[in-house]
Amino acid sequence: MNLPAALFTPSWPAELELAYARHGERTTPVQRRHLGPLRVQKHLYAEGPEVCQHIIVHPPGGIAGGDRLDISAHAGENTWVQLTSPGAAKWYRAAGVARQDLRLRVDAGATLEWLPQETIIYAGAQAELHTQIDLHGDARLLYWDIVALGRPAADERFASGHFQAALDVRRNGKLLWHERQRVAGGDGLLDSPIGLNGQPVFATLLVSGEVDSDLLERCRELKIDGVRGDLSQLSGLLVARCLASEALKARAWLIELWRLLRPALLGREAVPPRIWST
């Protein structure tokens, strides 16, 4: 029996749709719809019933050309949702584009923390990531991303392929943060002092709210070997950036910032998810 070639495709689309509601003192998952290889593990309450933690799992372990990941999460009113991952996301060398679309909605009184581990872009990958975050009322957000270009430990520079990212954050429809990035393999900006300055890793942290000058200075004084970072206070949004020699060092810097900023801006001490230590 000869089946049409159109039935076979090397791409692997996946979807994950999450939603949460507040029931008494507990944040409860009320929707977990998935299609293809995207899942969440059992929800956890390491900090008590108010904070629901989910670990997003992509069982194939890597994203290849033609793959598309669609992830959405809706934190309902007065919920607290923390989303993380068990390990690095790996984007492999490919002849075609692979894409991830992330949509986060945070309703009034709710808090959402998006804290994935690093994204590794292999040389030759064609990775395109699009993120849209919508905040409503007094919703609170803490978001980070860590991008590693190439694999320096394997002597692999990001000499081909491309990484492209778009990030928009809105509150009540008003744009708070609008960013577009594109890094081409072998581009001069990889080594330029006005670009990545030879560092293979860059990271961003965004947190809603404003801090006083003393806390801002404490954050700026954080020192991690192999990391150069700084922070900017915008109206209603604090932005932190760094360049790093290794993804683990960039993550260590973000975690130390999180330890300082979470109590001040979100009102809760930072409790690192156990999955980060496994």
Side-chain angles (χ1 to χ4, degrees):
M1 179 179 179
N2 294 321
L3 296 177
L7 293 179
F8 300 96
T9 174
S11 63
W12 205 346
E15 299 176 11
L16 179 64
E17 186 176 349
L18 306 171
Y20 303 83
R22 180 73 176 250
H23 294 144
E25 295 300 312
R26 181 176 292 266
T27 295
T28 304
V30 293
Q31 182 168 349
R32 286 187 290 176
R33 185 188 71 83
H34 66 84
L35 174 68
L38 268 177
R39 301 287 193 279
V40 287
Q41 296 181 347
K42 180 180 178 181
H43 47 282
L44 303 172
Y45 292 97
E47 301 182 54
E50 297 92 348
V51 180
C52 182
Q53 180 193 101
H54 258 145
I55 300 168
I56 297 178
V57 179
H58 183 238
I63 300 100
D67 288 357
R68 176 160 182 165
L69 277 61
D70 287 287
I71 303 169
S72 68
H74 178 190
E77 289 189 7
N78 301 315
T79 59
W80 192 310
V81 179
Q82 185 182 84
L83 301 173
T84 186
S85 61
K90 301 172 183 175
W91 294 67
Y92 297 138
R93 181 179 64 185
V97 169
R99 180 180 172 115
Q100 175 181 289
D101 283 284
L102 172 66
R103 295 175 301 281
L104 304 176
R105 172 175 171 149
V106 193
D107 286 349
T111 302
L112 190 146
E113 295 178 278
W114 176 261
L115 309 173
Q117 300 198 52
E118 62 268 24
T119 296
I120 302 174
I121 312 297
Y122 284 42
Q126 299 187 50
E128 299 186 0
L129 288 73
H130 299 256
T131 300
Q132 178 178 313
I133 303 173
D134 292 297
L135 309 176
H136 297 267
D138 60 350
R140 301 184 299 184
L141 170 74
L142 199 151
Y143 165 99
W144 77 34
D145 63 60
I146 308 163
V147 177
L149 299 176
R151 295 175 296 163
D155 294 324
E156 178 189 279
R157 284 179 53 84
F158 191 62
S160 60
H162 73 265
F163 166 78
Q164 181 172 304
L167 172 60
D168 291 317
V169 182
R170 291 179 171 85
R171 185 180 295 278
N172 299 325
K174 181 180 178 181
L175 196 62
L176 295 180
W177 185 257
H178 173 76
E179 180 172 6
R180 298 293 183 267
Q181 298 176 337
R182 183 177 175 89
V183 181
D187 192 285
L189 285 175
L190 293 168
D191 295 311
S192 170
I194 64 169
L196 299 185
N197 199 32
Q199 300 294 339
V201 178
F202 56 94
T204 300
L205 180 148
L206 304 176
V207 56
S208 56
E210 299 182 15
V211 299
D212 59 39
S213 57
D214 289 342
L215 180 54
L216 185 60
E217 190 59 32
R218 288 174 61 198
C219 291
R220 286 173 169 163
E221 289 174 353
L222 284 174
K223 301 298 181 185
I224 302 289
D225 287 343
V227 176
R228 180 166 65 89
D230 207 344
L231 297 89
S232 298
Q233 177 68 73
L234 307 179
S235 178
L237 192 68
L238 183 65
V239 181
R241 300 276 211 185
C242 81
L243 295 175
S245 57
E246 298 178 19
L248 289 178
K249 293 181 177 181
R251 183 154 65 95
W253 186 73
L254 292 180
I255 290 172
E256 290 306 309
L257 283 179
W258 179 64
R259 290 183 190 275
L260 291 173
L261 295 172
R262 196 184 197 231
L265 292 176
L266 305 185
R268 186 180 287 271
E269 294 297 318
V271 179
R274 290 183 63 186
I275 194 69
W276 291 355
S277 301
T278 59

